[in-house]
């Protein structure tokens, strides 16, 4: 990866005889001199955490949720299942810093049954806390171990609680969510979104031309007044309107996604502008201008990418607490691999500023992150993936569904070898089924079925 950083100076260091200043905002290289004194970093935050758990679904919880469905109840309590098991006890939920009673608004969840495309059977949501729970994987049998629980944490939940409190609520306490929903829960993957908000810099009009990324496809949505980008799988797209600076979404959800957009505009649309203005004001000690444009650059790391980073460091990255000391290094890794260049030799000084100055909870450890997949010693690994991929393409045209495809696959004499190959990669039969489901869906949506 060949590119050069600029030398950094401040007006004070220049007056001392061209002495570099790593905190300076004057960037010098052979191509240009860039003054970034007006750029204001308004925030560096963990925007979203998606924590995955393996385990066997609690039959008591399954029965409870099905009874709510039969009764057509969409506002439910979670902790009544604790009272049923332990009569007379009142559980303390550590992260809420208070005792939660049955009638507490903190124990009121909007409950819905989900469709197969979501991957999970049930969803519980409480925006007051800032948590979404997805439960009961469609890719696994409910009475067997599998990746049956996904918990998504919102920015304000993460912001208002320490890492220890977050983890106590999710997993590390008697009445934690994972213990309510699963028997013998085990953290099995974590996805994280890292965000930096700023004022005082506009991305260049030729941003895509100067941008280096591993994504290969570019799709344009310029002039669109509103677009839901949450589930887009295209490698690159731009969206927005003529009155706005362009916004960008680059990369696929199953890898590293880069997105740059007008966070102030989005906050107004979602009616959260007061919350963010308060956060930005606190972070900048009052320097943030609520009347000026505040933009965001966000890196979204899929749990498989996070896992590979851990393997590359000889560490286990399966839970949110595992990542905390390395968040700044993870940010730098993503920003270098999705970077804006000034020219063929130099990285953009603005990008350099974001790489060097933005910190998440802890300063960078200055370690070199290398992603490492679980090694496969199977010489026919490529043949296995080709067989599965080609079969998906052919069966998608026939309209075959996921369960039918899996039945066909299990009938093959090489099925044990397929499962053994997946296990060596740290994956399970549930992961194979999820891959098949997504493959069939994507081939039909994109018209690539044979």
């Amino acid at each position: 990866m060949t590119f050069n950083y600029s030398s950094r100076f401040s007006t004070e260091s220049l007056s001392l005889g061209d002495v570099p200043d790593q905190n300076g905002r004057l960037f010098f290289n052979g191509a240009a001199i860039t003054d970034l004194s007006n750029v204001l970093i308004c925030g560096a935050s963990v925007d979203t955490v998606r924590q995955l758990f393996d385990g066997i679904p609690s039959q008591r919880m399954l029965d409870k949720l099905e009874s709510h469905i039969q009764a057509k109840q969409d506002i439910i309590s979670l902790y009544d299942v604790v009272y049923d098991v332990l009569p007379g006890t009142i559980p303390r939920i550590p992260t809420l810093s208070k005792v939660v009673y049955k009638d507490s608004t903190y124990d009121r969840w909007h409950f819905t049954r989900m469709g197969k495309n979501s991957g999970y059977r049930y969803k519980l949501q409480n925006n007051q806390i800032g948590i979404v729970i997805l439960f009961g994987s469609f890719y696994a049998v409910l009475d067997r171990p599998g990746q049956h629980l996904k918990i998504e944490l919102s920015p304000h939940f993460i912001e208002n609680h320490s890492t220890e409190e977050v983890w106590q609520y999710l997993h590390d306490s008697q009445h934690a969510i994972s213990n309510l929903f699963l028997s013998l829960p085990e953290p099995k993957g974590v996805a994280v979104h890292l965000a930096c908000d700023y004022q005082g810099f506009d991305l260049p009009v030729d941003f895509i031309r100067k941008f280096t990324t591993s994504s290969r496809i570019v799709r344009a949505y310029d002039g669109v007044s509103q677009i839901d980008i949450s589930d887009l799988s295209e490698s690159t797209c731009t969206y927005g309107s003529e009155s706005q600076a362009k916004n960008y979404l680059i990369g696929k959800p199953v890898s590293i996604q880069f997105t740059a957009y007008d966070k102030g505009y989005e906050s107004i649309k979602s009616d959260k502008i007061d919350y963010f203005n308060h956060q930005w004001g606190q972070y900048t000690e009052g320097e943030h201008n609520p009347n000026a444009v505040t933009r965001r650059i966000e890196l979204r790391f899929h749990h498989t990418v996070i896992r590979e980073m851990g393997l590359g460091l000889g560490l286990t990255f399966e839970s949110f607490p595992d990542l905390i000391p390395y968040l700044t290094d993870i940010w730098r890794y993503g920003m270098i691999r999705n970077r804006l260049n000034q020219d063929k030799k130099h990285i953009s000084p603005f990008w350099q500023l974001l790489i060097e100055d933005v910190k998440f909870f802890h300063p960078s450890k200055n370690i070199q992150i290398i992603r490492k997949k679980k090694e496969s010693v199977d010489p026919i690994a490529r043949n296995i993936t080709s067989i599965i991929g080609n079969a998906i393409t052919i069966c998608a045209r026939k309209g075959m569904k996921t369960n039918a495809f899996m039945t066909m696959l299990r009938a093959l004499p090489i099925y044990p070898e397929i499962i053994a190959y997946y296990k060596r990669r740290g994956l399970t039969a549930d992961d194979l089924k999820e891959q098949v489901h997504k493959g069939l869906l994507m081939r039909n949506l994109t018209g690539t079925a044979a």
Side-chain angles (χ1 to χ4, degrees):
M1 202 171 298
T2 304
F3 62 90
N4 297 314
Y5 286 101
S6 300
S7 297
R8 297 179 64 171
F9 298 87
S10 62
T11 54
E12 292 80 6
S13 70
L14 287 175
S15 67
L16 296 174
D18 299 344
V19 178
D21 181 352
Q22 292 306 308
N23 296 315
R25 292 298 188 90
L26 299 174
F27 292 76
F28 288 69
N29 58 46
I33 301 173
T34 305
D35 184 358
L36 296 180
S37 301
N38 291 327
V39 174
L40 179 66
I41 304 299
C42 304
S45 59
V46 179
D47 181 77
T48 301
V49 171
R50 293 191 178 104
Q51 178 67 57
L52 304 172
F53 290 95
D54 270 14
I56 302 174
S58 160
Q59 188 59 52
R60 192 178 191 88
M61 182 61 75
L62 288 172
D63 292 342
K64 166 184 164 58
L65 296 182
E66 284 298 321
S67 70
H68 287 304
I69 290 172
Q70 295 299 320
K72 298 182 179 181
Q73 295 172 324
D74 57 5
I75 304 296
I76 70 171
S77 167
L78 268 185
Y79 288 92
D80 56 0
V81 77
V82 176
Y83 293 100
D84 291 341
V85 177
L86 304 171
T89 64
I90 300 176
R92 178 177 291 275
I93 312 305
T95 54
L96 301 180
S97 302
K98 63 183 292 185
V99 174
V100 177
Y101 296 92
K102 279 188 178 182
D103 60 350
S104 169
T105 56
Y106 288 98
D107 189 25
R108 287 291 180 268
W109 299 80
H110 181 259
F111 169 62
T112 54
R113 187 199 287 272
M114 302 290 285
K116 286 190 175 181
N117 287 344
S118 70
Y120 290 86
R121 291 171 168 84
Y122 311 103
K123 181 176 80 168
L124 297 93
Q125 184 169 357
N126 185 325
N127 286 346
Q128 187 169 5
I129 304 176
I131 290 181
V132 175
I133 300 170
L134 298 174
F135 176 55
S137 173
F138 275 114
Y139 307 113
V141 181
L142 286 179
D143 60 356
R144 297 180 186 176
Q147 200 173 82
H148 285 289
L149 184 62
K150 179 193 288 187
I151 306 174
E152 180 170 324
L153 309 179
S154 71
H156 77 264
F157 181 87
I158 301 165
E159 181 75 23
N160 291 326
H161 301 95
S162 68
T163 303
E164 181 182 2
E165 289 175 333
V166 169
W167 199 237
Q168 281 183 323
Y169 188 53
L170 265 59
H171 182 62
D172 199 16
S173 62
Q174 181 182 1
H175 302 307
I177 292 177
S178 65
N179 289 313
L180 289 180
F181 283 86
L182 300 176
S183 173
L184 301 176
E186 178 185 2
K188 205 63 176 178
V190 56
V192 64
H193 297 183
L194 301 179
C196 172
D197 303 322
Y198 63 92
Q199 290 182 330
F201 186 85
D202 294 325
L203 298 178
V205 293
D206 57 351
F207 175 81
I208 290 295
R209 184 177 66 82
K210 292 184 175 180
F211 196 74
T212 295
T213 180
S214 58
S215 297
R216 295 181 295 274
I217 301 172
V218 178
R219 299 183 186 272
Y221 295 87
D222 300 329
V224 178
S225 60
Q226 185 175 357
I227 183 170
D228 179 4
I229 66 170
S230 59
D231 294 316
L232 281 180
S233 59
E234 287 86 356
S235 292
T236 305
C237 71
T238 65
Y239 61 100
S241 65
E242 294 181 358
S243 61
Q244 280 186 295
K246 287 184 179 179
N247 303 314
Y248 300 92
L249 176 70
I250 298 172
K252 297 183 178 181
V254 294
S255 184
I256 303 175
Q257 267 192 327
F258 166 91
T259 180
Y261 59 100
D262 186 334
K263 184 61 181 178
Y265 178 82
E266 186 270 340
S267 300
I268 292 172
K269 289 290 186 180
S270 60
D271 196 26
K272 296 177 182 177
I273 189 62
D274 290 338
Y275 167 78
F276 280 104
N277 276 334
H278 175 72
Q279 296 297 110
W280 293 326
Q282 278 195 325
Y283 188 91
T284 62
E285 297 181 342
E287 289 189 57
H288 174 261
N289 181 0
N291 298 316
V293 173
T294 305
R295 291 186 60 83
R296 166 168 289 192
I297 284 176
E298 186 176 325
L299 294 172
R300 303 169 180 175
F301 298 88
H302 191 259
H303 69 270
T304 56
V305 174
I306 294 295
R307 178 177 293 134
E308 289 168 6
M309 289 181 180
L311 289 172
L313 294 171
L315 301 170
T316 300
F317 282 177
E318 298 292 347
S319 70
F320 181 51
D322 295 338
L323 306 185
I324 297 300
Y326 303 94
L327 288 176
T328 301
D329 295 284
I330 292 171
W331 166 261
R332 291 184 173 186
Y333 174 90
M335 288 294 285
I336 289 172
R337 279 150 187 78
N338 295 272
R339 68 182 183 274
L340 177 63
N341 299 311
Q342 185 173 46
D343 53 41
K344 292 182 179 180
K345 294 182 179 180
H346 300 93
I347 193 171
S348 161
F350 174 65
W351 230 249
Q352 181 178 339
L353 177 69
L354 297 187
I355 290 171
E356 294 180 342
D357 289 16
V358 173
K359 297 177 177 62
F360 295 84
F361 301 162
H362 298 272
S364 170
K365 291 179 174 290
N366 294 316
I367 58 174
Q368 183 180 7
I369 290 183
I370 300 174
R371 286 164 59 185
K372 179 181 178 182
K373 299 180 184 293
K374 284 210 170 181
E375 295 180 1
S376 173
V377 296
D378 193 343
I380 63 170
R382 183 174 298 178
N383 293 333
I384 289 176
T385 56
S386 295
I387 289 170
I388 295 173
N390 291 334
I392 289 174
T393 301
I394 295 170
C395 293
R397 185 175 184 180
K398 295 180 176 296
M400 185 176 288
K401 303 299 182 183
T402 303
N403 287 337
F405 186 97
M406 291 303 299
T407 299
M408 178 193 72
L409 202 60
R410 293 187 191 99
L412 294 176
I414 64 167
Y415 183 72
E417 283 78 10
I418 293 174
I419 294 301
Y421 163 68
Y422 270 73
K423 285 183 178 179
R424 282 193 293 272
R425 293 178 58 208
L427 302 172
T428 65
D430 298 340
D431 294 309
L432 171 59
K433 187 174 182 181
E434 183 174 359
Q435 177 189 335
V436 168
H437 173 75
K438 290 181 178 178
L440 292 170
L441 180 63
M442 286 303 299
R443 281 162 175 77
N444 283 311
L445 290 176
T446 60
T448 56

